[in-house]
PDB file of all heavy atoms in Angstrom:
ATOM      1  N   ILE L 219     -72.593 -36.570   3.973  1.00  0.00           N
ATOM      2  CA  ILE L 219     -71.907 -37.510   4.776  1.00  0.00           C
ATOM      3  C   ILE L 219     -70.431 -37.067   5.047  1.00  0.00           C
ATOM      4  O   ILE L 219     -70.035 -37.115   6.207  1.00  0.00           O
ATOM      5  CB  ILE L 219     -72.008 -38.911   4.316  1.00  0.00           C
ATOM      6  CG1 ILE L 219     -73.463 -39.290   4.101  1.00  0.00           C
ATOM      7  CG2 ILE L 219     -71.282 -39.905   5.100  1.00  0.00           C
ATOM      8  CD1 ILE L 219     -73.695 -40.646   3.277  1.00  0.00           C
ATOM      9  N   LEU L 223     -68.753 -36.215   8.755  1.00  0.00           N
ATOM     10  CA  LEU L 223     -67.820 -37.147   9.335  1.00  0.00           C
ATOM     11  C   LEU L 223     -66.878 -36.583  10.400  1.00  0.00           C
ATOM     12  O   LEU L 223     -66.256 -37.220  11.121  1.00  0.00           O
ATOM     13  CB  LEU L 223     -67.105 -37.896   8.193  1.00  0.00           C
ATOM     14  CG  LEU L 223     -67.804 -39.087   7.503  1.00  0.00           C
ATOM     15  CD1 LEU L 223     -67.070 -39.518   6.313  1.00  0.00           C
ATOM     16  CD2 LEU L 223     -67.854 -40.185   8.479  1.00  0.00           C
ATOM     17  N   VAL L 228     -67.201 -42.322  13.113  1.00  0.00           N
ATOM     18  CA  VAL L 228     -67.152 -43.066  11.926  1.00  0.00           C
ATOM     19  C   VAL L 228     -67.952 -44.373  12.062  1.00  0.00           C
ATOM     20  O   VAL L 228     -68.516 -44.985  11.195  1.00  0.00           O
ATOM     21  CB  VAL L 228     -65.739 -43.260  11.443  1.00  0.00           C
ATOM     22  CG1 VAL L 228     -64.931 -44.153  12.278  1.00  0.00           C
ATOM     23  CG2 VAL L 228     -65.764 -43.871  10.040  1.00  0.00           C
ATOM     24  N   VAL L 231     -71.553 -44.321  11.076  1.00  0.00           N
ATOM     25  CA  VAL L 231     -71.837 -44.348   9.674  1.00  0.00           C
ATOM     26  C   VAL L 231     -71.570 -45.740   9.120  1.00  0.00           C
ATOM     27  O   VAL L 231     -72.455 -46.237   8.362  1.00  0.00           O
ATOM     28  CB  VAL L 231     -70.914 -43.319   8.914  1.00  0.00           C
ATOM     29  CG1 VAL L 231     -71.171 -43.408   7.432  1.00  0.00           C
ATOM     30  CG2 VAL L 231     -71.253 -41.906   9.318  1.00  0.00           C
ATOM     31  N   VAL L 232     -70.538 -46.381   9.538  1.00  0.00           N
ATOM     32  CA  VAL L 232     -70.180 -47.729   8.958  1.00  0.00           C
ATOM     33  C   VAL L 232     -71.251 -48.746   9.326  1.00  0.00           C
ATOM     34  O   VAL L 232     -71.596 -49.694   8.564  1.00  0.00           O
ATOM     35  CB  VAL L 232     -68.713 -48.123   9.471  1.00  0.00           C
ATOM     36  CG1 VAL L 232     -68.534 -49.592   9.116  1.00  0.00           C
ATOM     37  CG2 VAL L 232     -67.724 -47.233   8.894  1.00  0.00           C
ATOM     38  N   LEU L 237     -73.479 -46.641   4.726  1.00  0.00           N
ATOM     39  CA  LEU L 237     -72.231 -47.274   4.143  1.00  0.00           C
ATOM     40  C   LEU L 237     -72.618 -47.937   2.850  1.00  0.00           C
ATOM     41  O   LEU L 237     -71.858 -47.837   1.851  1.00  0.00           O
ATOM     42  CB  LEU L 237     -71.515 -48.267   5.092  1.00  0.00           C
ATOM     43  CG  LEU L 237     -70.333 -48.930   4.528  1.00  0.00           C
ATOM     44  CD1 LEU L 237     -69.297 -47.895   4.128  1.00  0.00           C
ATOM     45  CD2 LEU L 237     -69.711 -49.900   5.571  1.00  0.00           C
ATOM     46  N   VAL L 240     -73.064 -45.498   0.059  1.00  0.00           N
ATOM     47  CA  VAL L 240     -71.759 -45.031  -0.417  1.00  0.00           C
ATOM     48  C   VAL L 240     -71.170 -46.011  -1.388  1.00  0.00           C
ATOM     49  O   VAL L 240     -70.685 -45.646  -2.459  1.00  0.00           O
ATOM     50  CB  VAL L 240     -70.825 -44.709   0.726  1.00  0.00           C
ATOM     51  CG1 VAL L 240     -69.404 -44.297   0.171  1.00  0.00           C
ATOM     52  CG2 VAL L 240     -71.345 -43.532   1.632  1.00  0.00           C
ATOM     53  N   GLU L 255     -64.898 -39.875  -2.703  1.00  0.00           N
ATOM     54  CA  GLU L 255     -64.396 -39.004  -1.805  1.00  0.00           C
ATOM     55  C   GLU L 255     -64.853 -39.319  -0.350  1.00  0.00           C
ATOM     56  O   GLU L 255     -64.164 -39.366   0.642  1.00  0.00           O
ATOM     57  CB  GLU L 255     -64.683 -37.603  -2.104  1.00  0.00           C
ATOM     58  CG  GLU L 255     -64.384 -36.520  -1.075  1.00  0.00           C
ATOM     59  CD  GLU L 255     -62.852 -36.303  -1.094  1.00  0.00           C
ATOM     60  OE1 GLU L 255     -62.084 -36.666  -1.918  1.00  0.00           O
ATOM     61  OE2 GLU L 255     -62.421 -35.623  -0.036  1.00  0.00           O
ATOM     62  N   CYS L 256     -66.164 -39.593  -0.223  1.00  0.00           N
ATOM     63  CA  CYS L 256     -66.809 -39.858   0.961  1.00  0.00           C
ATOM     64  C   CYS L 256     -66.177 -41.219   1.676  1.00  0.00           C
ATOM     65  O   CYS L 256     -65.820 -41.302   2.772  1.00  0.00           O
ATOM     66  CB  CYS L 256     -68.282 -40.117   0.808  1.00  0.00           C
ATOM     67  SG  CYS L 256     -69.086 -40.423   2.308  1.00  0.00           S
ATOM     68  N   LEU L 257     -66.095 -42.306   0.793  1.00  0.00           N
ATOM     69  CA  LEU L 257     -65.498 -43.501   1.267  1.00  0.00           C
ATOM     70  C   LEU L 257     -64.050 -43.401   1.720  1.00  0.00           C
ATOM     71  O   LEU L 257     -63.551 -43.969   2.738  1.00  0.00           O
ATOM     72  CB  LEU L 257     -65.633 -44.603   0.272  1.00  0.00           C
ATOM     73  CG  LEU L 257     -65.206 -46.033   0.668  1.00  0.00           C
ATOM     74  CD1 LEU L 257     -65.903 -46.461   1.920  1.00  0.00           C
ATOM     75  CD2 LEU L 257     -65.357 -47.079  -0.451  1.00  0.00           C
ATOM     76  N   GLY L 258     -63.331 -42.591   0.898  1.00  0.00           N
ATOM     77  CA  GLY L 258     -61.903 -42.299   1.272  1.00  0.00           C
ATOM     78  C   GLY L 258     -61.798 -41.622   2.682  1.00  0.00           C
ATOM     79  O   GLY L 258     -60.959 -42.018   3.486  1.00  0.00           O
ATOM     80  N   ILE L 259     -62.608 -40.659   2.934  1.00  0.00           N
ATOM     81  CA  ILE L 259     -62.704 -39.991   4.230  1.00  0.00           C
ATOM     82  C   ILE L 259     -63.157 -40.906   5.391  1.00  0.00           C
ATOM     83  O   ILE L 259     -62.531 -40.903   6.447  1.00  0.00           O
ATOM     84  CB  ILE L 259     -63.556 -38.727   4.175  1.00  0.00           C
ATOM     85  CG1 ILE L 259     -62.759 -37.732   3.394  1.00  0.00           C
ATOM     86  CG2 ILE L 259     -63.727 -38.163   5.619  1.00  0.00           C
ATOM     87  CD1 ILE L 259     -63.516 -36.327   3.201  1.00  0.00           C
ATOM     88  N   ILE L 260     -64.025 -41.805   5.040  1.00  0.00           N
ATOM     89  CA  ILE L 260     -64.384 -42.824   6.052  1.00  0.00           C
ATOM     90  C   ILE L 260     -63.236 -43.670   6.365  1.00  0.00           C
ATOM     91  O   ILE L 260     -63.053 -43.850   7.629  1.00  0.00           O
ATOM     92  CB  ILE L 260     -65.621 -43.661   5.482  1.00  0.00           C
ATOM     93  CG1 ILE L 260     -66.945 -42.902   5.368  1.00  0.00           C
ATOM     94  CG2 ILE L 260     -65.776 -44.952   6.394  1.00  0.00           C
ATOM     95  CD1 ILE L 260     -68.006 -43.596   4.732  1.00  0.00           C
ATOM     96  N   CYS L 261     -62.541 -44.050   5.394  1.00  0.00           N
ATOM     97  CA  CYS L 261     -61.279 -44.884   5.750  1.00  0.00           C
ATOM     98  C   CYS L 261     -60.292 -44.006   6.596  1.00  0.00           C
ATOM     99  O   CYS L 261     -59.697 -44.579   7.515  1.00  0.00           O
ATOM    100  CB  CYS L 261     -60.655 -45.418   4.445  1.00  0.00           C
ATOM    101  SG  CYS L 261     -61.668 -46.553   3.574  1.00  0.00           S
ATOM    102  N   ARG L 262     -60.111 -42.735   6.107  1.00  0.00           N
ATOM    103  CA  ARG L 262     -59.156 -41.963   6.874  1.00  0.00           C
ATOM    104  C   ARG L 262     -59.526 -41.590   8.294  1.00  0.00           C
ATOM    105  O   ARG L 262     -58.677 -41.567   9.164  1.00  0.00           O
ATOM    106  CB  ARG L 262     -58.919 -40.603   6.118  1.00  0.00           C
ATOM    107  CG  ARG L 262     -58.357 -40.682   4.773  1.00  0.00           C
ATOM    108  CD  ARG L 262     -57.585 -39.475   4.378  1.00  0.00           C
ATOM    109  NE  ARG L 262     -58.498 -38.420   4.039  1.00  0.00           N
ATOM    110  CZ  ARG L 262     -59.062 -38.158   2.856  1.00  0.00           C
ATOM    111  NH1 ARG L 262     -58.783 -39.080   1.790  1.00  0.00           N
ATOM    112  NH2 ARG L 262     -59.888 -37.186   2.533  1.00  0.00           N
ATOM    113  N   GLU L 263     -60.936 -41.749   8.597  1.00  0.00           N
ATOM    114  CA  GLU L 263     -61.292 -41.521   9.914  1.00  0.00           C
ATOM    115  C   GLU L 263     -60.940 -42.739  10.839  1.00  0.00           C
ATOM    116  O   GLU L 263     -61.137 -42.688  12.082  1.00  0.00           O
ATOM    117  CB  GLU L 263     -62.830 -41.258   9.911  1.00  0.00           C
ATOM    118  CG  GLU L 263     -63.223 -39.934   9.515  1.00  0.00           C
ATOM    119  CD  GLU L 263     -62.704 -38.816  10.359  1.00  0.00           C
ATOM    120  OE1 GLU L 263     -62.849 -38.898  11.576  1.00  0.00           O
ATOM    121  OE2 GLU L 263     -62.206 -37.747   9.810  1.00  0.00           O
ATOM    122  N   THR L 264     -60.552 -43.838  10.256  1.00  0.00           N
ATOM    123  CA  THR L 264     -60.114 -44.955  11.034  1.00  0.00           C
ATOM    124  C   THR L 264     -58.653 -45.157  11.182  1.00  0.00           C
ATOM    125  O   THR L 264     -58.184 -46.326  11.470  1.00  0.00           O
ATOM    126  CB  THR L 264     -60.827 -46.292  10.375  1.00  0.00           C
ATOM    127  OG1 THR L 264     -60.154 -46.438   9.108  1.00  0.00           O
ATOM    128  CG2 THR L 264     -62.203 -46.188  10.192  1.00  0.00           C
ATOM    129  N   LEU L 277     -65.345 -52.578   7.336  1.00  0.00           N
ATOM    130  CA  LEU L 277     -65.075 -51.804   6.158  1.00  0.00           C
ATOM    131  C   LEU L 277     -64.255 -52.676   5.093  1.00  0.00           C
ATOM    132  O   LEU L 277     -64.528 -52.475   3.840  1.00  0.00           O
ATOM    133  CB  LEU L 277     -64.245 -50.568   6.447  1.00  0.00           C
ATOM    134  CG  LEU L 277     -64.972 -49.330   6.749  1.00  0.00           C
ATOM    135  CD1 LEU L 277     -64.025 -48.157   7.218  1.00  0.00           C
ATOM    136  CD2 LEU L 277     -65.758 -48.820   5.513  1.00  0.00           C
TER     137      LEU L 277
END
Side-chain angles (χ1 to χ4, degrees):
I219 299 171
L223 276 168
V228 67
V231 175
V232 171
L237 179 60
V240 174
E255 175 69 15
C256 184
L257 184 55
I259 290 181
I260 289 173
C261 292
R262 292 204 290 272
E263 288 294 316
T264 64
L277 268 174

